[in-house]
């Protein structure tokens, strides 16, 4: 053994920060013996999951001793058909959740000495995974009070070390979206070495006319990646499956950090079946849009400030602390999510549920806030 100095610090300094992201609580953590609880805290699907996906999982569970596919190739093909062959199979990457695709992108592009730009309040994993790589997070906060994107400040923050810009539209937790013109504008001003990651997992629920996904930019061969998930629209949160699509060049590069057998058999079959379940998606979108309008108009009547949402949730700002509001709502049998940790002080996010759950939420809010 050669010379070894004492007191070698084996811990990476950037892994010793406190992790701010704690997922929402499960029902089992909350449930008391005899109270009915409406879980409106994790943006889950009000209709449950795609029946086609569920049937595929049951079928696939018959052969658990066999290794699954080595790669995501089969579901890449299913996605290419789903996108009407506007994209080629190799332009997709499918992994264990939308969050994992984000992690793979970050692992492929960021490291010590490099930077990404995020705009809080937003989904926390971009920051969390960037820190794991020892890279720097530059936060260009959304403009208040409308939570629009601060494009000038983003452009100003771009430098030689910048690799990724995370945009979320519709955004979690604010429910706001980024108009196409703003994204066009931003992309036109960016240098070649900067990639825009557009997280569009709530795209099915957007109805604004000037809403856009990443698709037109990818088709135009821009450095843009569109993030998607099976957790929300298809109701497959428990399966952990998500995907992105981008240019061939970026997709093939990021595929290098995919481990073999990346997707388990049940998730892969569920995902492929879900993509064909247009009925379930239509029903989900219809109920979310209808109930979102109902919830927003009732909140408006009560007079609690809220942001018009394009997602399957609504963010409100009650006149008490989010923790206090959360507790009082739970006493009324409704689970909601304080989103201060997402960078939205004083705010709480309420997922759109079925009418019965939304009515329970509304009467609870009315009772607590008036
Ligand atoms: C839910 C969500 C995701 C992805 O969720 P997974 O369950 O990890 O697929 C990604 N981005 C945003 C903004 C989300 O809200």
């Amino acid at each position: 053994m050669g010379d070894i100095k004492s007191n070698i610090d084996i811990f990476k300094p950037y892994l010793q920060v406190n992790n701010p992201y704690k997922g929402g609580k499960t029902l089992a953590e909350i449930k008391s013996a005899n109270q009915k609880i409406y879980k409106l805290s994790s943006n889950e699907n009000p209709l449950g999951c795609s029946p086609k996906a569920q049937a595929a999982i049951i079928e696939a569970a018959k052969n658990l001793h066999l290794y699954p596919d080595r790669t995501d190739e089969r579901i890449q093909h299913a996605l290419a058909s789903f996108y009407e062959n506007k994209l080629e199979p190799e332009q997709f990457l499918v992994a264990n959740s939308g969050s994992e695709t984000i992690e793979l992108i970050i692992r492929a592009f960021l490291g010590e000495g490099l930077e990404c730009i995020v705009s809080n309040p937003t989904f926390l994993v971009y920051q969390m995974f960037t820190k794991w790589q020892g890279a720097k997070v530059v936060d260009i906060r959304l403009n208040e009070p409308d939570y629009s994107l601060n494009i000038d400040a983003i452009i100003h923050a771009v430098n030689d070390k910048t690799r990724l810009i995370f945009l979320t539209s519709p955004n979690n937790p604010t429910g706001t979206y980024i108009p196409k013109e703003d994204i066009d504008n931003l992309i036109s001003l960016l240098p070649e070495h900067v990639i825009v990651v557009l997280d569009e997992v709530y795209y099915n629920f957007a109805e604004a006319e000037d809403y856009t996904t990443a698709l037109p930019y990818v088709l135009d061969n821009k450095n843009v990646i569109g993030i998607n998930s099976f957790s929300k629209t298809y109701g497959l949160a428990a399966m952990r499956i998500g995907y992105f699509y981008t240019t061939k060049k970026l997709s093939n590069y990021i595929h290098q950090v995919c481990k073999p057998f990346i997707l388990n058999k049940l998730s892969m079959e569920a995902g492929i079946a879900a993509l064909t379940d247009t009925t379930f998606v239509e029903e989900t979108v219809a109920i979310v849009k209808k109930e979102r309008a109902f919830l927003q108009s009732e909140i408006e009547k009560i007079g609690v400030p809220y942001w018009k949402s394009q997602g399957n949730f609504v963010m409100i700002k009650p006149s008490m602390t989010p923790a206090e509001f959360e507790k009082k709502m739970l006493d009324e049998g409704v689970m909601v999510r304080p989103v201060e940790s997402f960078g939205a002080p004083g705010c709480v996010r309420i997922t759109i549920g079925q009418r019965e759950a939304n009515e329970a939420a509304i009467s609870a809010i009315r009772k607590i806030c008036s």
Side-chain angles (χ1 to χ4, degrees):
M1 207 160 28
D3 269 357
I4 295 178
K5 55 180 180 174
S6 58
N7 297 326
I8 295 173
D9 184 1
I10 62 170
F11 299 105
K12 295 178 176 177
Y14 50 83
L15 287 184
Q16 302 196 51
V17 289
N18 251 338
N19 171 7
Y21 186 73
K22 302 190 173 53
K25 291 193 175 72
T26 63
L27 262 184
E29 286 172 282
I30 293 291
K31 213 151 196 161
S32 65
N34 43 25
Q35 193 191 8
K36 175 153 191 179
I37 305 270
Y38 296 103
K39 186 169 188 275
L40 300 180
S41 49
S42 295
N43 298 349
E44 288 148 344
N45 194 308
L47 298 178
C49 86
S50 150
K52 285 195 177 185
Q54 194 172 38
I57 291 168
I58 292 166
E59 182 61 31
K62 290 176 183 163
N63 280 306
L64 298 181
H65 61 295
L66 298 174
Y67 270 92
D69 294 23
R70 222 185 135 69
T71 69
D72 61 345
E73 191 181 335
R74 207 152 46 87
I75 192 164
Q76 285 179 313
H77 281 267
L79 280 162
S81 315
F82 179 74
Y83 280 80
E84 296 162 336
N85 298 310
K86 288 180 187 144
L87 298 168
E88 292 181 41
E90 67 185 296
Q91 294 184 263
F92 295 91
L93 181 150
V94 192
N96 300 285
S97 75
S99 304
E100 192 179 60
T101 68
I102 293 165
E103 191 199 349
L104 294 172
I105 294 164
I106 289 173
R107 209 187 296 164
F109 285 103
L110 293 177
E112 288 179 67
L114 299 173
E115 300 179 1
C116 76
I117 295 175
V118 304
S119 294
N120 280 310
T122 193
F123 197 46
L124 277 169
V125 308
Y126 320 130
Q127 280 152 257
M128 183 174 145
F129 298 157
T130 297
K131 286 178 186 158
W132 288 358
Q133 291 302 310
K136 185 173 154 193
V137 176
V138 177
D139 178 16
I140 305 297
R141 279 185 66 84
L142 297 174
N143 298 311
E144 294 195 32
D146 63 347
Y147 290 127
S148 58
L149 198 64
N150 190 341
I151 296 175
D152 291 342
I154 290 176
I155 293 298
H156 199 75
V158 168
N159 60 39
D160 289 352
K161 299 175 212 147
T162 313
R163 293 291 176 275
L164 304 173
I165 297 178
F166 288 96
L167 305 179
T168 316
S169 181
N171 186 38
N172 177 8
T174 60
T176 50
Y177 74 103
I178 310 169
K180 180 166 191 304
E181 202 184 337
D182 286 0
I183 300 182
D184 287 350
N185 190 5
L186 175 69
I187 288 174
S188 72
L189 294 169
L190 288 177
E192 274 295 306
H193 68 276
V194 178
I195 298 164
V196 170
V197 182
L198 179 57
D199 184 335
E200 58 185 44
V201 306
Y202 299 103
Y203 83 92
N204 299 84
F205 309 122
E207 55 191 357
E209 278 187 9
D210 53 351
Y211 173 77
T212 185
T213 65
L215 189 59
Y217 307 103
V218 172
L219 290 175
D220 201 18
N221 211 32
K222 295 277 192 281
N223 279 339
V224 175
I225 305 176
I227 302 289
N228 244 295
S229 170
F230 288 85
S231 297
K232 315 281 164 53
T233 316
Y234 297 102
L236 291 171
M239 295 311 294
R240 314 310 300 130
I241 178 161
Y243 67 92
F244 70 58
Y245 58 89
T246 184
T247 62
K248 280 189 213 174
K249 191 171 170 187
L250 294 183
S251 176
N252 289 325
Y253 170 71
I254 302 164
H255 265 92
Q256 294 181 94
V257 292
C258 282
K259 46 190 176 242
F261 308 108
I262 182 162
L263 284 173
N264 75 71
K265 173 89 177 160
L266 305 190
S267 299
M268 165 100 72
E269 300 305 341
I272 292 172
L275 289 172
T276 66
D277 204 343
T278 41
T279 310
F280 182 76
V281 173
E282 281 165 17
E283 285 170 3
T284 296
V285 170
I287 190 174
V288 166
K289 286 184 178 171
K290 175 160 166 271
E291 292 302 311
R292 181 173 66 195
F294 169 72
L295 202 65
Q296 291 184 158
S297 76
E298 293 299 310
I299 292 169
E300 183 138 357
K301 282 185 212 157
I302 299 169
V304 177
Y306 74 99
W307 283 262
K308 280 211 165 55
S309 174
Q310 298 283 311
N312 66 346
F313 53 88
V314 179
M315 188 172 85
I316 69 170
K317 191 167 190 172
S319 56
M320 63 199 77
T321 68
E324 202 181 332
F325 181 79
E326 178 191 28
K327 190 182 168 300
K328 288 185 170 173
M329 288 293 283
L330 194 54
D331 290 341
E332 301 297 319
V334 183
M335 278 174 82
V336 297
R337 186 81 180 276
V339 288
E340 291 182 301
S341 65
F342 291 58
C347 295
V348 176
R349 191 189 66 198
I350 306 174
T351 301
I352 314 289
Q354 299 210 26
R355 179 58 58 100
E356 185 183 313
N358 300 333
E359 272 173 348
I362 289 300
S363 41
I365 298 171
R366 194 176 291 121
K367 180 168 167 192
I368 295 165
C369 296
S370 48

